[in-house]
Amino acid sequence: MSASLRERARRGDRLLGVLLRMPAEELVEMAAVAGFDFILIDTEHGPADVVALRQHIALASIHGVPVIVRVAEHDTAQVLRILDQGAQGIVAPHLDSAADAAAVVDAAMYPPVGSRGFATYSRAGRFGLTPPEEHSRWFLEHTLLIGMVESPAGVAAVGEIVATPRLDGILVGPADLAASSGPEDPSVGDSIAAVHAELARSGALRMDIVGTRAAAAASFADGAGLVVVNLAHALMAELRGFVAGQR
């Protein structure tokens, strides 16, 4: 069996992903064929239909590309359903405290680490064919858990957040961070730098979201282990470029 996304990230591979919103069957397949290392499906700012999500995960798996999913804020029931369909990880938005991070871990991990409901008859358990011990061990060892820091409170608490057992890393949400920062808060640039410094100090994984090839290269050069391309941003820039070139 090939290495999981979490294994690859933790051993230091540079991993390039793409952020998609459903429905996006052809885009999932195009991203897989193009050679992306993983696909991040956004159900926070996009549709969260579990049936469609299952189809997207299954399609990506045909090409051997793992899927992780950005869930809605504090939706622990959604975490269980997503992982049961075979997603290899969760991106959890709006972590403002260690308690928020612990709640994500609790929802995503089987006992004894968390309290996720156990079943092997889902797609993730090969419809009951995977022995329970093997199924439990795989998800405990290989589920990738990334939290998002998107507020001054989260920035201030990032040391405690990344110290949460079994949380793998952090993605800074620059748009929400900018929207939630006031005149008395550090600048967005300083806040992002502070988070990244803490990730480097602690050895936690760093995921960056970008819109261009140049930004992706810069993130990798600056220490990110996982970089995800916002496809809507990249596609709109390309499409607008075509239009502008004809006027």
Side-chain angles (χ1 to χ4, degrees):
M1 180 181 292
S2 59
S4 67
L5 185 63
R6 183 173 188 258
E7 282 181 300
R8 295 183 65 193
R10 288 172 60 84
R11 75 188 183 196
D13 290 6
R14 287 186 171 187
L15 301 170
L16 183 66
V18 62
L19 172 68
L20 305 173
R21 296 181 180 90
M22 296 186 296
E25 292 92 341
E26 283 200 345
L27 291 176
V28 167
E29 193 158 22
M30 289 168 69
V33 170
F36 281 89
D37 296 299
F38 66 96
I39 294 167
L40 170 57
I41 296 179
D42 183 6
T43 65
E44 182 194 17
H45 294 291
D49 181 86
V50 177
V51 175
L53 179 62
R54 182 196 184 284
Q55 294 166 349
H56 287 54
I57 294 171
L59 179 59
S61 73
I62 292 172
H63 297 277
V65 178
V67 170
I68 59 176
V69 180
R70 177 159 69 175
V71 299
E73 183 177 359
H74 306 312
D75 192 340
T76 57
Q78 186 190 26
V79 171
L80 180 148
R81 294 193 298 270
I82 286 169
L83 293 174
D84 274 357
Q85 299 314 312
Q88 282 198 20
I90 295 295
V91 174
H94 301 291
L95 300 190
D96 290 334
S97 67
D100 290 343
V104 172
V105 172
D106 184 67
M109 291 287 100
Y110 285 134
V113 178
S115 63
R116 175 185 164 198
F118 188 82
T120 62
Y121 51 80
S122 62
R123 182 176 179 275
R126 299 184 67 244
F127 312 105
L129 292 185
T130 303
E133 297 82 5
E134 179 183 331
H135 178 73
S136 177
R137 181 174 61 253
W138 196 95
F139 274 90
L140 285 169
E141 294 177 358
H142 298 284
T143 303
L144 179 67
L145 297 182
I146 302 292
M148 294 189 68
V149 167
E150 306 183 81
S151 70
V155 173
V158 68
E160 298 172 3
I161 291 171
V162 298
T164 303
R166 198 46 186 80
L167 185 74
D168 292 303
I170 294 293
L171 165 63
V172 177
D176 275 302
L177 180 58
S180 62
S181 296
E184 303 302 318
D185 295 310
S187 71
V188 171
D190 286 347
S191 292
I192 292 174
V195 172
H196 289 171
E198 178 60 29
L199 297 179
R201 186 201 65 78
S202 67
L205 297 176
R206 170 181 158 186
M207 177 185 283
D208 286 0
I209 186 166
V210 300
T212 66
R213 282 178 285 180
S219 284
F220 280 130
D222 191 50
L226 303 100
V227 172
V228 60
V229 179
N230 185 334
L231 190 62
H233 178 101
L235 276 178
M236 288 305 296
E238 193 69 18
L239 292 172
R240 291 294 293 169
F242 275 111
V243 172
Q246 303 304 314
R247 293 179 178 173

